[in-house]
Amino acid sequence: MWLGRHRWFPVLLQGSLTLRRLGPARTWGGCRGQMAETFSTGAEAATELKAPAQQNGDASGDARGERPAGSRKPVGWGVEPAREDGKQTPLSEEQASVAASGPGKRKKRRDATRERVVPPPKKRRAGVSFGDEHFAETSYYFEGGLRKVRPYYFDFQTYCKGRWVGHSLLHVFSTEFRAQPLSYYEAAVRAGRLHLNEEPVQDLSIMLKDNDFLRNRVHRHEPPVTAEPVRLLAENEDVVVVDKPSSIPVHPCGRFRHNTVIFILGKEHQLKELHPLHRLDRLTSGVLMFAKTAAVSERIHEQVRDRQLEKEYVCRVEGEFPTEEVTCKEPILVVSYKVGVCRVDTRGKPCETVFQRLSYNGHSSVVRCRPLTGRTHQIRVHLQFLGHPILNDPIYNSVAWGPSRGRGGHIPKTDEELLRDLVAEHQAKQSLDVLDLCEGDLPPGLIDSTAPSSEVGKDHIEELAASAQKMDGAVEATPQDLDTMTLAPGKAAETDVVNQEIDPLCAECRLVRQDPLPQDLVMFLHALCYKGPGFEYFSPMPAWAQDDWQED
């Protein structure tokens, strides 16, 4: 009897262990829906994280800071992809099981369930923002005092946002990506431009699932910037310091990618894997610092948080600025994160700027500015409040603010009316890039229906789609050469080479835009000095800040 019990004991023990192993598995399976929702949120955050928001030169905050919640532009088919930092989103339970099952089992599972298989996220090199493959997408040319980027093909990529799950691609395009009419996206499907989980989309009515990977190939046109070079002020084993020209963004944002300081330094100076230490607005010129390593970046950001760094700017403002030192402590409120407009308001965040006049030429004054806080557009907004806006500020010295142009905080308009008038003014001038906007970014209420539109008629798009299909084999490869590209093996074409600068589906290719004058790309705000413990960097005083400078 005792022996009988002993023989059964290992069996009972093994069964008990098996049940213990199954217990957690059942619990995990019961939480699967919740975990999938969590991954969806994580994936959305990962793809929506953008490079640090471009701020005015008066922003002295940490370059890694982000806009408050709700301020980020959606990432996907109309906005620059966000994650270039090489970080990988963790796999969901379903993805992990598919990845572990191997090719044979994956195929069997697909046939058995008739469900779409979502591939796991591709692992990218950690710590590398942009490399040679990115810099080789296109090249520059110079014309009329402007730096221009030759049009090129580019893949916008994103994982399915949580709010898209259960909706069709048609719904997503019609509600969130209005830069083009739906007929354009239908033509893009026929041309093989849209991919879902790396397979060509056949029908826009397809319903999106959690973790779906979306890719859209577009023909990109970047706005021109000044031809002035990005000059190196200093370089050592820790940092790179440059003198940034006006009109060039620090890093990719909106329609800008190659016409940015990060790409210019990588392509023309072979300076890669740089970490921005602070921010300058696209229209602001002057001292800009980058760390060469993550350790140096963290050290200087710690100094920023401890308020050990000082920044000094110079600007030219309207009228005769007071001779005595002026300190402005008016709080600043963000009117619109999307449009990038702020104003003085008691509900805003506290900030402080110290101003000192340097010279006056009878019409305008040169003023030195020391921001003691780092709010968005702080210097520009405070100068507007004081009644001495920057002479050629395209936002805060605009008639859209009313007769007094915001002096003393007097704005006889609602925020909605102000934004509408500002957008309408720049839309009429075809200068929405000043607001870091394109027409597709605008809410319906801000769009001026009388302004020129980039949309193409449906009847014209139909004939263009057929032409685009002939180029499908050519545009599937990543363009490495600007003017010509060899077709992929097995792909036929009517000619031996394909011109990458013209795309039959691209509305921008058929628009004739007047180039801005180089002087129109300069705003009279310059970062003169940036200093902290153990370092101090200066840039030369700009020509417009000289005592004897006169307006044209």
Side-chain angles (χ1 to χ4, degrees):
M1 193 68 180
W2 183 85
L3 291 175
R5 289 197 200 115
H6 226 62
R7 283 196 298 268
W8 281 103
F9 182 76
V11 177
L12 292 173
L13 180 60
Q14 181 179 2
S16 174
L17 291 175
T18 302
L19 287 175
R20 290 191 181 188
R21 284 198 297 267
L22 289 176
R26 286 177 183 146
T27 304
W28 177 271
C31 298
R32 181 174 176 179
Q34 182 179 357
M35 292 300 295
E37 181 179 354
T38 303
F39 174 75
S40 172
T41 305
E44 179 176 352
T47 53
E48 285 198 352
L49 282 175
K50 292 173 67 70
Q54 291 289 328
Q55 291 193 8
N56 183 47
D58 43 6
S60 58
D62 187 339
R64 298 172 300 175
E66 297 175 356
R67 294 177 179 176
S71 67
R72 293 191 295 262
K73 297 180 181 179
V75 175
W77 288 314
V79 183
E80 180 73 31
R83 291 309 287 261
E84 292 285 357
D85 57 4
K87 294 184 179 178
Q88 184 182 12
T89 307
L91 301 182
S92 67
E93 178 193 9
E94 180 178 5
Q95 284 180 306
S97 63
V98 171
S101 63
K105 293 185 180 179
R106 178 183 297 183
K107 183 176 181 181
K108 182 178 180 180
R109 179 178 178 183
R110 187 191 320 201
D111 294 339
T113 63
R114 296 182 180 274
E115 291 186 358
R116 187 166 63 244
V117 175
V118 180
K122 295 180 180 179
K123 188 173 182 179
R124 309 175 72 177
R125 290 178 296 164
V128 178
S129 293
F130 300 103
D132 292 335
E133 67 273 21
H134 303 110
F135 300 143
E137 291 166 344
T138 185
S139 64
Y140 305 112
Y141 68 101
F142 297 86
E143 182 178 72
L146 302 174
R147 176 191 292 268
K148 297 183 177 182
V149 173
R150 299 184 189 274
Y152 59 100
Y153 287 102
F154 180 80
D155 285 348
F156 282 110
Q157 304 177 30
T158 183
Y159 282 93
C160 180
K161 309 291 185 290
R163 62 183 179 273
W164 299 351
V165 174
H167 293 286
S168 67
L169 274 175
L170 185 68
H171 172 80
V172 172
F173 280 130
S174 61
T175 56
E176 298 204 26
F177 300 101
R178 299 183 300 268
Q180 301 287 354
L182 285 177
S183 54
Y184 165 81
Y185 296 111
E186 292 167 352
V189 167
R190 292 192 294 276
R193 302 287 179 88
L194 304 180
H195 288 74
L196 182 63
N197 300 322
E198 299 302 345
E199 295 184 2
V201 172
Q202 303 297 331
D203 190 343
L204 287 178
S205 63
I206 189 170
M207 306 300 288
L208 294 175
K209 295 185 176 182
D210 188 27
N211 270 355
D212 273 348
F213 180 70
L214 308 165
R215 179 165 63 89
N216 178 35
R217 174 146 294 189
V218 298
H219 197 235
R220 289 193 72 167
H221 294 249
E222 296 193 23
V225 298
T226 179
E228 288 188 31
V230 177
R231 298 182 178 88
L232 297 182
L233 297 176
E235 181 184 0
N236 54 41
E237 60 183 7
D238 291 334
V239 299
V240 174
V241 186
V242 303
D243 188 1
K244 183 186 94 66
S246 182
S247 80
I248 305 180
V250 175
H251 42 62
C253 58
R255 296 178 64 199
F256 295 90
R257 180 170 170 86
H258 288 265
N259 263 348
T260 60
V261 176
I262 286 284
F263 267 68
I264 292 172
L265 289 178
K267 296 170 73 164
E268 297 185 349
H269 297 275
Q270 289 71 52
L271 292 168
K272 306 168 187 177
E273 303 180 35
L274 298 177
H275 305 259
L277 294 174
H278 61 107
R279 296 165 291 192
L280 291 181
D281 181 66
R282 185 169 65 85
L283 295 178
T284 304
S285 58
V287 176
L288 181 64
M289 288 183 62
F290 297 90
K292 286 188 172 182
T293 66
V296 173
S297 174
E298 180 57 35
R299 186 181 75 233
I300 296 183
H301 281 133
E302 187 68 31
Q303 295 171 354
V304 171
R305 290 188 288 270
D306 293 342
R307 296 184 179 273
Q308 299 181 44
L309 304 184
E310 297 180 34
K311 301 170 76 174
E312 187 175 304
Y313 295 79
V314 64
C315 61
R316 183 171 285 276
V317 304
E318 280 197 353
E320 185 176 2
F321 199 84
T323 56
E324 67 275 9
E325 186 178 89
V326 176
T327 300
C328 185
K329 298 183 179 181
E330 297 295 329
I332 291 178
L333 178 72
V334 177
V335 176
S336 170
Y337 288 101
K338 178 176 283 292
V339 181
V341 177
C342 305
R343 63 179 172 85
V344 165
D345 192 284
T346 54
R347 297 170 297 168
K349 295 182 179 180
C351 52
E352 182 176 358
T353 317
V354 179
F355 301 98
Q356 178 65 60
R357 191 179 90 181
L358 299 180
S359 65
Y360 173 60
N361 67 0
H363 301 282
S364 59
S365 306
V366 176
V367 178
R368 180 167 51 207
C369 320
R370 289 191 297 113
L372 304 184
T373 50
R375 307 301 178 198
T376 302
H377 293 182
Q378 176 175 323
I379 290 175
R380 298 162 68 179
V381 173
H382 275 175
L383 286 170
Q384 180 197 49
F385 179 86
L386 295 173
H388 298 279
I390 293 175
L391 196 62
N392 59 353
D393 191 324
I395 297 179
Y396 298 101
N397 197 4
S398 165
V399 295
W401 294 85
S404 63
R405 303 200 177 191
R407 180 170 188 166
H410 178 64
I411 306 169
K413 299 180 179 182
T414 65
D415 288 350
E416 292 73 18
E417 291 171 337
L418 172 63
L419 292 174
R420 183 197 62 207
D421 293 346
L422 275 172
V423 168
E425 176 185 339
H426 289 285
Q427 197 175 21
K429 296 177 182 177
Q430 295 189 9
S431 61
L432 285 176
D433 291 318
V434 169
L435 303 175
D436 290 328
L437 288 175
C438 60
E439 288 188 12
D441 295 328
L442 299 178
L446 293 181
I447 297 177
D448 181 4
S449 59
T450 63
S453 174
S454 62
E455 294 191 355
V456 184
K458 183 174 181 179
D459 54 343
H460 191 42
I461 285 183
E462 295 295 333
E463 60 184 77
L464 296 176
S467 176
Q469 283 176 303
K470 296 179 182 180
M471 299 178 60
D472 186 33
V475 301
E476 275 303 307
T478 302
Q480 300 298 326
D481 186 329
L482 223 312
D483 300 307
T484 63
M485 182 178 70
T486 304
L487 297 179
K491 298 290 185 178
E494 296 179 355
T495 57
D496 292 332
V497 294
V498 177
N499 189 341
Q500 298 257 36
E501 296 187 38
I502 299 177
D503 179 77
L505 275 186
C506 178
E508 194 77 15
C509 285
R510 292 177 294 281
L511 291 179
V512 178
R513 296 187 183 273
Q514 184 176 359
D515 284 339
L517 297 174
Q519 57 266 32
D520 294 336
L521 297 177
V522 176
M523 185 175 68
F524 297 157
L525 178 61
H526 182 78
L528 193 63
C529 175
Y530 196 67
K531 59 184 177 181
F535 67 86
E536 186 170 2
Y537 299 106
F538 291 88
S539 65
M541 188 78 79
W544 50 259
Q546 303 300 323
D547 295 349
D548 56 352
W549 183 87
Q550 295 291 330
E551 294 90 332
D552 294 334

